[in-house]
């Protein structure tokens, strides 16, 4: 494992290619298992996935503390189901990271 996730272009490209837009209904089994993680729109979904893959505890901790990364709540899930929202999703086993809108990333690392 590389120590600098920001330099892991191969993993970043792989994660980017495997990121897809889909409704929460396709993730309900994973949500029920507690494995769906919300990523704030201000963060770059691919960057978060790469950092989680590298077990970058410092960045992950900052994002969680700032309320920018958390397990999807029942209220969030219900809102997305009610509106049939399309979510950006990226798998970092065992987690599925989801984000409602892609936005310009806020660099917190």
């Amino acid at each position: 494992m590389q120590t600098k996730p920001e330099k892991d272009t191969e993993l970043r490209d792989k994660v980017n290619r495997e990121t897809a837009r889909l409704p929460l209904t396709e993730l309900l089994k994973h949500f029920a298992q507690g494995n769906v993680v919300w990523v704030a729109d201000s963060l770059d979904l691919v960057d978060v996935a790469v950092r989680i893959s590298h077990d970058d505890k410092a960045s992950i901790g900052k994002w969680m503390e700032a309320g920018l990364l958390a397990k999807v709540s029942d209220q969030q899930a219900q809102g997305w189901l009610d509106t049939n929202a399309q979510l950006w999703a990226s798998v970092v086993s065992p987690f599925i990271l989801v984000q409602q809108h892609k936005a310009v990333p806020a660099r917190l690392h």
Side-chain angles (χ1 to χ4, degrees):
M1 177 189 308
Q2 292 180 323
T3 58
K4 300 230 179 243
E6 63 276 5
K7 302 223 184 263
D8 194 346
T9 56
E10 186 176 319
L11 179 58
R12 186 173 302 281
D13 289 344
K14 179 182 184 299
V15 169
N16 193 44
R17 283 191 311 272
E18 294 174 357
T19 298
R21 195 134 166 96
L22 50 108
L24 183 62
T25 54
E26 293 191 28
L27 303 174
L28 288 178
K29 172 184 162 188
H30 303 283
F31 172 71
Q33 295 170 341
N35 293 332
V36 180
V37 176
W38 168 78
V39 177
D41 294 341
S42 61
L43 296 175
D44 182 273
L45 182 63
V46 172
D47 187 48
V48 173
V50 168
R51 288 180 182 279
I52 289 173
S53 293
H54 277 270
D55 199 24
D56 181 352
K57 290 180 173 78
S59 294
I60 295 164
K62 281 184 198 175
W63 294 329
M64 291 177 74
E65 192 174 302
L68 300 173
L69 184 69
K71 287 193 176 186
V72 171
S73 70
D74 291 343
Q75 295 79 11
Q76 281 175 309
Q78 189 60 57
W80 291 333
L81 289 171
D82 291 347
T83 60
N84 197 29
Q86 293 290 308
L87 305 171
W88 286 102
S90 181
V91 176
V92 181
S93 190
F95 302 107
I96 299 177
L97 309 179
V98 296
Q99 188 174 53
Q100 192 161 9
H101 304 285
K102 280 193 172 184
V104 177
R107 299 288 178 179
L108 291 180
H109 46 272

